[in-house]
């Protein structure tokens, strides 16, 4: 009776916990699988695995210590232990947020939409029970723990499955699971996915122009309404209402009345300015928001960060010389916190904010005058602040900052801005500002890594996003040097290869005072999508990628689930689709695009072309409806129904326009006016920032 009660409690606990949070190949520690040169000796994984040779040997010793006499049961148990090496082990060994010592064992249930191969339909869980139920072995991973969780291994005495579980049904209620669209299960073999036919790409992307302003960043209002924040490179942020799809309305934004004006702090030039904005997930309650910008220490006393070229990274700023007339680390990257508290009865209804810093989160001097990224994002699953930083500039990253684990250049940082240490603790830890380090940042395992770093080996990440449906898909576009523009799936402790590689291509820097990294010394993660410069222009070095979003609106149902990205020069746009689903493998297609004839604001066309004259595509944006926007130098464009541009989509008539429209607070709507048609001064050399020309 006691065993039955324990089994029942365990089963109920698992039902409450189960919530798949992983999709693409990912290891238990949230890192990407390793690329293997040879097959592991004990576990039969090759090409890609979550185990290295040392971990493979540890699993062999664990298996031998179990002392299983029955050969059939031994074979089954070996496969279960070796599932830790599976490229999908993060999903196999996690139930909700709770780790488990054995993978989810496939039962006979496979959903119709499962991406896993039909072998997962075999009831492997029943097979484990039938094969091993009466076999005694040491250190069983199938014992229920005292906490009624899937078992902590028993460290002494021989045991049988029947010692802990009343029946096959009880056992598989605890350890079994189905393959579905959101999860995979273990069937005794390495997880394989169905090879499905690649869907035909959409016939085109239809846009409407709803604003004339030129903006670098967009952030949906965290209250879920039909409002969004737009930020200019000069240093102003506006709060705007977004018109309903099909309403014929334009962006409700008053250029003369910004939400906040930070131009006194922001150093604005062709390659500098306000690079990113991020609103705290609880902004509607706490009013906290953040800006990432550049400052000039020669012009502002608040520009006081340490130089990124220092002895810790084997760099001497006195040997760098000037760059475009600037001294090393004269220009700096800043992340600062501001508040909307005190400007309204509650932050969610605030239409302005104070331009005074609440807290300096980060300040760092830049060695050169380009490649400083600057986007900031809050992770939707963990609430931490992600800060994208370029390699600092110079052709070919001459000081090899991107591969230097002691440098924060060429990195994606992950910071905790909710738990701020004391000044004494900040000084002791040698931090760059007011933040703390998340405990699961990779420096704990990769001891050579600076604690702020989440991923490295990037040149100039220009626009990253989390998939709103699958937060583990953290996508970043990284601007290339001479040949290749790339899109990466960012994972914990991932090395994305620069400057050993430019995308998938080997790269040799023209000069290297900072030393070199050999290809054999790293395990690079190569791009999942991208394009060569010759794809868009025969002139070498004439392309620059702008990263986008997975399209999750039903406004264009034929575009749903595809990742959109573009070239800065606005003559090419791509849509990438994952195939098989959850595999991390993508196929991308160049997509025609045009502007609707009934666009609320008239679109001009490129001379001799049907393409709309967007000039430069600086960024993409996403609102609370999941509609997608292009932020171009010529205005703000929104993706609309394909039929408005005479593109055929067979799914369009069978779907609604979009998810239900977010509401607009009355106190906000009454204070906005139609956008004015101000003329924005366009600095065409801004593209140097993105391209990274020096």
């Amino acid at each position: 009776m006691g065993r039955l009660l324990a089994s029942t409690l365990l089963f109920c606990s698992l039902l409450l916990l189960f919530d798949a949070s992983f999709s693409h190949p990912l290891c238990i520690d949230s890192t990407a699988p390793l690329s293997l040169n040879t097959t592991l000796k004990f576990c039969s994984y090759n090409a890609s695995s979550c185990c290295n040779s040392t971990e493979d040997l540890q699993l062999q010793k664990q298996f031998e210590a179990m002392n299983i006499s029955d050969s059939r049961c031994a074979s089954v148990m070996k496969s279960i232990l070796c599932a830790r090496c599976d490229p999908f082990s993060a999903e196999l060994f996690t139930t909700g947020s709770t780790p488990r010592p054995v993978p989810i064992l496939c039962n006979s249930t496979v959903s119709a939409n499962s991406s896993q191969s039909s072998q997962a339909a075999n009831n492997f869980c029943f097979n484990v029970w039938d094969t091993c139920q009466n076999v005694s072995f040491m250190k069983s991973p199938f014992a229920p723990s005292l906490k009624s969780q899937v078992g902590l291994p028993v460290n002494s005495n021989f045991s049988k499955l029947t010692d802990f579980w009343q029946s096959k049904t009880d056992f598989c209620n605890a350890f079994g699971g189905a393959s579905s669209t959101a999860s995979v299960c273990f069937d005794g073999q390495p997880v394989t996915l169905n090879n499905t036919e690649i869907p035909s790409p959409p016939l085109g992307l239809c846009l409407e122009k709803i604003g004339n302003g030129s903006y670098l960043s967009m952030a949906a209002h965290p209250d879920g309404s039909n409002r969004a924040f737009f930020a200019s490179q000069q240093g102003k942020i506006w709060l705007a209402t977004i018109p309903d799809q099909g309403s014929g309305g334009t962006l409700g934004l008053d250029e003369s009345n910004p939400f906040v004006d930070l131009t006194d702090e922001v150093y604005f030039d062709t390659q500098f300015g306000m690079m990113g904005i991020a609103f705290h997930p609880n902004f509607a309650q706490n009013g906290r928001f953040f800006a990432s910008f550049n400052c000039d220490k020669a012009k502002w006393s608040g520009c006081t960060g340490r130089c990124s070229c220092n002895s810790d990274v084997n760099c001497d700023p006195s040997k760098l010389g000037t760059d475009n007339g600037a001294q090393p680390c004269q220009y700096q990257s800043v992340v600062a916190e501001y508040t909307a508290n005190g400007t309204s009865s509650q932050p969610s209804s605030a239409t302005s904010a104070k331009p005074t810093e609440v807290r300096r989160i980060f300040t760092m001097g830049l060695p050169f005058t380009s490649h400083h990224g600057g986007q900031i994002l809050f992770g939707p699953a963990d609430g931490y602040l992600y800060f994208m930083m370029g390699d600092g500039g110079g052709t070919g990253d001459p000081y090899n900052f991107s591969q230097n684990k002691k440098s924060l250049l060429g990195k994606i940082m992950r910071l905790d801005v909710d738990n701020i240490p004391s000044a004494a603790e900040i000084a002791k830890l040698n931090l760059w500002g007011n933040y703390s380090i998340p405990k699961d940042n990779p420096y704990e395992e990769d001891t050579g890594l600076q604690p702020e770093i989440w991923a490295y080996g990037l040149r100039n990440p220009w626009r990253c996003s989390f998939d709103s449906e699958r937060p583990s898909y953290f996508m970043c576009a990284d601007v290339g040097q001479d040949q290749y523009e790339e899109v990466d799936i960012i994972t914990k402790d991932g090395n994305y290869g620069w400057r050993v590689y430019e995308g998938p291509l080997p790269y040799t820097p023209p000069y290297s005072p900072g030393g070199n990294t050999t290809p054999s010394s790293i395990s690079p993660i190569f791009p999942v999508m991208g394009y060569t410069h010759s794809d868009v222009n025969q002139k070498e070095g004439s392309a620059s990628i702008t990263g986008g979003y997975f399209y999750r609106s039903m406004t264009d149902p034929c575009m749903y689930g595809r990742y959109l990205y573009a070239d800065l020069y606005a003559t090419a746009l791509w849509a990438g689709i994952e195939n098989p689903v959850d595999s991390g493998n993508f196929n991308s297609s160049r997509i025609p695009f045009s502007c609707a004839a009934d666009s609320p604001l008239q679109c001009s066309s490129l001379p001799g072309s049907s393409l709309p004259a967007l000039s430069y595509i600086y960024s993409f944006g996403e609102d609370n409806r999941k509609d997608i926007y292009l932020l171009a130098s010529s205005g703000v464009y929104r993706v609309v129904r394909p039929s408005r541009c005479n593109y055929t989509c067979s799914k369009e008539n069978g779907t609604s326009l979009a998810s239900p429209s977010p509401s607009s607070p009355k106190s906000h709507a009454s204070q906005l006016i139609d956008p004015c048609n101000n003329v924005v001064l366009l600095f065409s050399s801004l593209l140097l920032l993105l391209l990274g020309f020096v």
Side-chain angles (χ1 to χ4, degrees), residues 237 259-260 278-280 283 287-291 336-340 353:
I237 302 173
F259 178 77
V260 69
F279 289 77
H280 194 280
F283 171 81
R288 299 176 69 195
F289 68 98
F290 302 79
E337 178 180 343
Y338 300 87
T339 183

Side-chain angles (χ1 to χ4, degrees), residues 197-347:
E197 183 178 349
I198 301 173
S200 299
L203 297 179
L205 188 74
C206 187
L207 305 173
E208 67 174 359
K209 186 176 182 180
I210 61 171
N212 284 316
S214 176
Y215 310 105
L216 216 56
S217 303
M218 173 183 172
H221 199 296
D223 70 354
S225 68
N226 65 335
R227 297 181 293 165
F229 296 93
F230 292 82
S232 69
Q233 187 185 355
Q234 292 92 331
K236 294 182 180 180
I237 302 173
W238 290 270
L239 178 58
T241 52
I242 297 174
D244 289 342
Q245 283 273 1
S247 68
T250 57
L251 200 62
L253 185 151
D254 182 359
E255 288 275 359
S256 66
N257 186 27
F259 178 77
V260 69
D261 183 347
L262 304 179
T263 53
D264 287 344
E265 291 79 27
V266 174
Y267 175 69
F268 170 62
D269 201 348
T270 54
Q271 302 183 52
F272 296 101
M274 182 147 61
M275 297 290 106
I277 56 173
F279 289 77
H280 194 280
N282 295 324
F283 171 81
Q285 290 76 43
N286 63 28
R288 299 176 69 195
F289 68 98
F290 302 79
S292 168
F293 59 87
N294 303 119
C295 64
D296 180 354
K297 71 177 184 179
K299 297 183 178 180
W300 183 40
S301 60
C303 198
T304 56
R306 302 200 314 268
C307 186
S308 57
C309 172
N310 55 57
S311 58
D312 291 341
V313 296
N314 299 315
C315 181
D316 182 353
S318 67
K319 296 181 179 180
L320 292 184
T322 61
D323 183 28
N324 293 323
Q327 295 295 322
C329 295
Q330 176 179 335
Y331 301 120
Q332 309 200 350
S333 282
V334 172
V335 177
E337 178 180 343
Y338 300 87
T339 183
N341 288 333
T343 62
S344 180
S345 59
Q346 55 185 5

Side-chain angles (χ1 to χ4, degrees), residues 412-441:
I412 293 177
M413 290 172 263
R414 182 175 181 252
L415 311 175
D416 183 349
V417 295
D418 289 329
N419 298 287
I420 308 300
S422 65
E425 188 71 9
I426 290 171
K428 178 182 176 181
L429 296 174
N430 201 30
L431 302 180
W432 297 78
N434 290 281
Y435 56 86
S436 59
I437 305 297
K439 293 181 179 179
D440 59 342
N441 272 14

Side-chain angles (χ1 to χ4, degrees), residues 4-277:
L4 179 59
L5 178 60
S7 301
T8 304
L9 288 172
L10 172 56
F11 176 52
C12 293
S13 299
L14 288 177
L15 286 177
L16 292 172
L17 286 169
F18 187 77
D19 178 23
S21 57
F22 308 100
S23 295
H24 60 87
L26 210 59
C27 302
I28 294 173
D29 62 359
S30 296
T31 61
L34 302 169
S35 296
L36 299 176
N37 295 323
T38 59
T39 303
L40 297 175
K41 291 183 178 180
F42 178 66
C43 297
S44 57
Y45 284 84
N46 54 30
S48 179
S49 172
C50 285
C51 296
N52 56 30
S53 57
T54 300
E55 292 160 332
D56 183 54
L57 180 59
Q58 291 172 344
L59 288 172
Q60 182 177 354
K61 291 179 178 178
Q62 181 182 351
F63 172 73
E64 291 170 350
M66 295 174 75
N67 198 16
I68 307 173
S69 58
D70 183 272
S71 60
R72 291 177 62 243
C73 181
S75 177
V76 168
M77 288 306 304
K78 176 184 175 181
S79 71
I80 290 172
L81 290 181
C82 285
R84 286 190 170 274
C85 301
D86 198 284
F88 288 88
S89 59
E91 190 168 342
L92 291 174
F93 282 85
T94 305
T95 304
S97 59
T98 304
R100 38 188 294 149
V102 293
I104 298 171
L105 308 179
C106 291
N107 58 29
S108 57
T109 305
V110 177
S111 75
N113 295 322
S114 172
S115 60
Q116 197 168 352
S117 66
S118 58
Q119 187 173 344
N122 299 328
N123 201 325
F124 182 67
C125 188
F126 275 22
N127 181 42
V128 172
W129 176 269
D130 292 339
T131 305
C132 295
Q133 61 175 314
N134 293 313
V135 178
S136 296
F137 50 90
M138 296 281 286
K139 300 181 180 180
S140 173
F142 291 109
S145 76
L146 296 177
K147 295 181 180 180
S148 295
Q149 295 174 353
V150 171
L152 297 176
V154 174
N155 292 318
S156 61
N157 301 324
F158 282 91
S159 60
K160 304 175 183 178
L161 298 185
T162 51
D163 292 336
F164 305 114
W165 303 98
Q166 191 80 6
S167 66
K168 180 190 301 186
T169 301
D170 289 339
F171 175 77
C172 288
N173 280 343
F175 297 101
S179 173
S180 68
T181 54
S183 63
V184 296
C185 58
F186 185 68
D187 59 16
Q189 301 291 330
V191 171
T192 57
L193 303 178
N194 288 317
N195 287 318
T196 56
E197 183 178 349
I198 301 173
S200 299
L203 297 179
L205 188 74
C206 187
L207 305 173
E208 67 174 359
K209 186 176 182 180
I210 61 171
N212 284 316
S214 176
Y215 310 105
L216 216 56
S217 303
M218 173 183 172
H221 199 296
D223 70 354
S225 68
N226 65 335
R227 297 181 293 165
F229 296 93
F230 292 82
S232 69
Q233 187 185 355
Q234 292 92 331
K236 294 182 180 180
I237 302 173
W238 290 270
L239 178 58
T241 52
I242 297 174
D244 289 342
Q245 283 273 1
S247 68
T250 57
L251 200 62
L253 185 151
D254 182 359
E255 288 275 359
S256 66
N257 186 27
F259 178 77
V260 69
D261 183 347
L262 304 179
T263 53
D264 287 344
E265 291 79 27
V266 174
Y267 175 69
F268 170 62
D269 201 348
T270 54
Q271 302 183 52
F272 296 101
M274 182 147 61
M275 297 290 106
I277 56 173

Side-chain angles (χ1 to χ4, degrees), residues 490-512:
I490 302 299
T491 56
K492 178 181 179 180
D493 204 19
N495 183 349
Y496 293 88
W498 174 252
R499 64 179 182 154
V500 183
Y501 295 91
E502 181 184 359
L505 309 173
Y507 180 81
T508 302
Y511 65 109
S512 187

Side-chain angles (χ1 to χ4, degrees), residues 668-683:
H668 174 72
S670 62
Q671 298 184 45
L672 291 177
I673 62 174
D674 290 337
C676 58
N677 295 325
N678 64 311
V679 178
V680 179
L681 179 63
L682 298 178
F683 286 79

